[in-house]
Amino acid sequence: MIRVNELSKTYGTGEAAVQALKGLSLNIEDGELTAIIGASGSGKSTLLHILGGLDTDVSGSVYYDDTEITALNDAALADFRLKNIGFVFQFFDLIPELTAAENITLPQMMMKKKRSIPDELAERLGIADRLKHYPDELSGGQRQRVAIARALINSPSVLLCDEPTGNLDKASGREVMKILKALNEQGTTVIIVTHDNELASQCNRVIEISDGVIV
């Protein structure tokens, strides 16, 4: 379970300070498919980045079971992320000089593991025939499938998705959401930040954030 306790985040100082999160608390159970929605600037992406340990300059605490990730040093936090959390972003964040296969196996390389892609993973995501292609040779939907494969390659228990369909056409977006729902049904905790109410309605739980608090 993920537990967030009295989480606050402020950007800037003095008169220019902006409080993105204001004492926010919530629990997310193992195996949930959760959407976090809200207008631009509401704090939803800030929350996701803190849940993923990408933003650490905060007050309050975030626990994954008994591990308080907000208390870990940089090295321990990086190790925790690599082993436990997968990330999927709106703009794919693939390295253009690497093939799809090389992009997918980057997390394995970082863990000094043998680089290999399970046939089942590639087949399930529909990219088995695209592994030798470079990102600019792939469609948007295919790039996002490669990004999802990269997020899953180390078998994380939690998948954090920031607008995963925001840069896709509707048909590709539906296919990506179908993949995320299937992963959740197989036991992965999936948290999706989105402004798309249609996408959010397919989740088991919807959390709305406005002005840094849950409404």
Side-chain angles (χ1 to χ4, degrees):
M1 183 174 72
I2 301 171
R3 290 180 287 126
V4 177
N5 300 318
E6 295 294 323
L7 192 63
S8 294
K9 171 67 182 181
T10 301
Y11 294 102
T13 58
E15 294 183 358
V18 175
Q19 195 169 8
L21 298 177
K22 304 172 181 177
L24 184 148
S25 297
L26 63 88
N27 291 340
I28 296 176
E29 300 287 344
D30 289 343
E32 281 193 346
L33 173 58
T34 301
I36 300 174
I37 65 171
S40 178
S42 61
K44 61 185 187 299
S45 289
T46 296
L47 174 60
L48 195 78
H49 292 166
I50 295 170
L51 290 177
L54 300 176
D55 192 340
T56 57
D57 184 17
V58 301
S59 63
S61 59
V62 176
Y63 285 85
Y64 279 70
D65 293 327
D66 295 326
T67 301
E68 183 185 354
I69 67 166
T70 40
L72 298 177
N73 62 36
D74 289 347
L77 181 57
D79 185 63
F80 182 89
R81 279 197 307 262
L82 199 55
K83 294 177 179 176
N84 298 281
I85 305 173
F87 296 93
V88 180
F89 299 104
Q90 177 177 353
F91 295 104
F92 322 130
D93 289 348
L94 302 179
I95 298 175
E97 296 81 9
L98 301 182
T99 65
E102 290 167 339
N103 270 285
I104 291 168
T105 55
L106 270 176
Q108 292 178 328
M109 182 185 70
M110 295 170 68
M111 289 186 67
K112 299 180 180 179
K113 295 167 61 176
K114 181 180 178 181
R115 294 173 64 156
S116 64
I117 302 172
D119 291 339
E120 183 270 338
L121 177 62
E123 291 289 345
R124 179 170 38 151
L125 295 178
I127 55 173
D129 61 343
R130 293 290 183 268
L131 295 178
K132 294 182 180 179
H133 290 66
Y134 290 88
D136 64 0
E137 299 172 329
L138 304 174
S139 68
Q142 289 168 343
R143 291 183 209 177
Q144 195 61 297
R145 291 164 185 253
V146 170
I148 292 171
R150 179 184 58 193
L152 295 174
I153 197 67
N154 282 339
S155 301
S157 56
V158 177
L159 192 60
L160 302 181
C161 307
D162 194 355
E163 300 284 6
T165 64
N167 205 34
L168 302 175
D169 60 71
K170 286 195 173 183
S172 296
R174 291 191 195 101
E175 288 300 313
V176 166
M177 188 57 191
K178 186 184 297 184
I179 290 168
L180 295 176
K181 289 174 70 175
L183 292 169
N184 174 253
E185 290 169 0
Q186 293 165 8
T188 303
T189 301
V190 180
I191 303 172
I192 303 172
V193 158
T194 183
H195 66 276
D196 186 337
N197 289 328
E198 180 182 346
L199 186 152
S201 69
Q202 300 179 59
C203 296
N204 306 126
R205 180 184 179 195
V206 179
I207 298 170
E208 183 176 0
I209 295 180
S210 178
D211 197 26
V213 297
I214 295 174
V215 296

